[in-house]
Amino acid sequence: MTEITAEAWPEPPIAGTEAAAVIGALERQRATLAWKCSGLDSAGLRATVGASAITLGGLLKHLAHVEDSHFARLWLGSAVGAPWDTVDWESVPDWDYRSAAEDTPEQLLALWRESVSRSRAVVDRALSAGDLGQLGAYTTRGGEHPNLRRILLDLIEEYARHAGHADLIRESVDGLTGEDPDFG
């Protein structure tokens, strides 16, 4: 996996626009996950802590799914593509976590990076047409549509929650700690 260095560490702007701050916060969370998963072999990506079955590889695959599903389903109102569209989520609701053990580190990283790239392209197109207040295509049972701001904030929350898992798992693998390469 690619190493993340302090020089490349994304930081949200100190006094940027709302969109730049939100996207900057998301990019920092993405970088945290990439860094926590970097440099590990298959065994490192399959390591668990305590009774939890969560692995770093599972987190990569799960967050790739979250990236794709948030923007396909909530923003575009379309079906989520491969490999997610072939999964029987009702029978195996945690397929992304479980199936990650069958993938190589390179496959997991590529899957995640491709999902992130698709998400970035969707957000770039959306922001070229307006601001974070634009409404997505998804309609809730109450008839509401999430705006781009809410979709991005939910994605940040998802990454932040799993960054805590990644911290614990990575520390158990090789002692790596810290929030970014400057403070490891």
Side-chain angles (χ1 to χ4, degrees):
M1 297 201 147
T2 303
E3 296 290 335
I4 303 290
T5 64
E7 296 77 37
W9 197 259
E11 279 294 322
I14 296 295
T17 65
E18 179 188 21
V22 170
I23 291 168
L26 176 57
E27 291 300 336
R28 183 171 49 194
Q29 293 299 321
R30 286 172 172 157
T32 298
L33 177 73
W35 181 55
K36 293 296 177 174
C37 296
S38 68
L40 294 175
D41 60 10
S42 292
L45 290 178
R46 291 185 187 127
T48 61
V49 174
S52 176
I54 295 175
T55 65
L56 291 170
L59 289 174
L60 280 171
K61 198 164 192 175
H62 170 70
L63 287 164
H65 177 238
V66 170
E67 290 268 3
D68 281 337
S69 67
H70 268 57
F71 290 107
R73 195 173 56 81
L74 300 176
W75 182 252
L76 300 172
S78 65
V80 181
W84 323 115
D85 58 349
T86 61
V87 177
D88 181 358
W89 291 101
E90 289 193 26
S91 296
V92 191
D94 58 351
W95 176 84
D96 41 2
Y97 286 106
R98 289 183 183 203
S99 65
E102 302 164 13
D103 300 321
T104 67
E106 295 77 20
Q107 290 169 320
L108 290 166
L109 181 61
L111 179 69
W112 177 74
R113 283 189 172 152
E114 289 163 6
S115 296
V116 168
S117 180
R118 283 188 292 275
S119 294
R120 286 177 178 141
V122 168
V123 171
D124 287 347
R125 279 192 304 276
L127 290 176
S128 72
D131 62 16
L132 296 180
Q134 297 175 78
L135 299 178
Y138 180 79
T139 306
T140 67
R141 284 184 222 125
E144 296 177 297
H145 296 271
N147 61 24
L148 184 56
R149 179 184 303 103
R150 173 62 187 264
I151 294 167
L152 288 167
L153 291 174
D154 284 354
L155 196 55
I156 292 168
E157 178 185 4
E158 185 79 8
Y159 270 95
R161 180 171 352 113
H162 291 312
H165 298 122
D167 284 339
L168 293 172
I169 298 166
R170 182 59 189 251
E171 184 175 5
S172 77
V173 171
D174 63 6
L176 178 75
T177 61
E179 295 176 10
D180 69 50
D182 271 344
F183 303 102

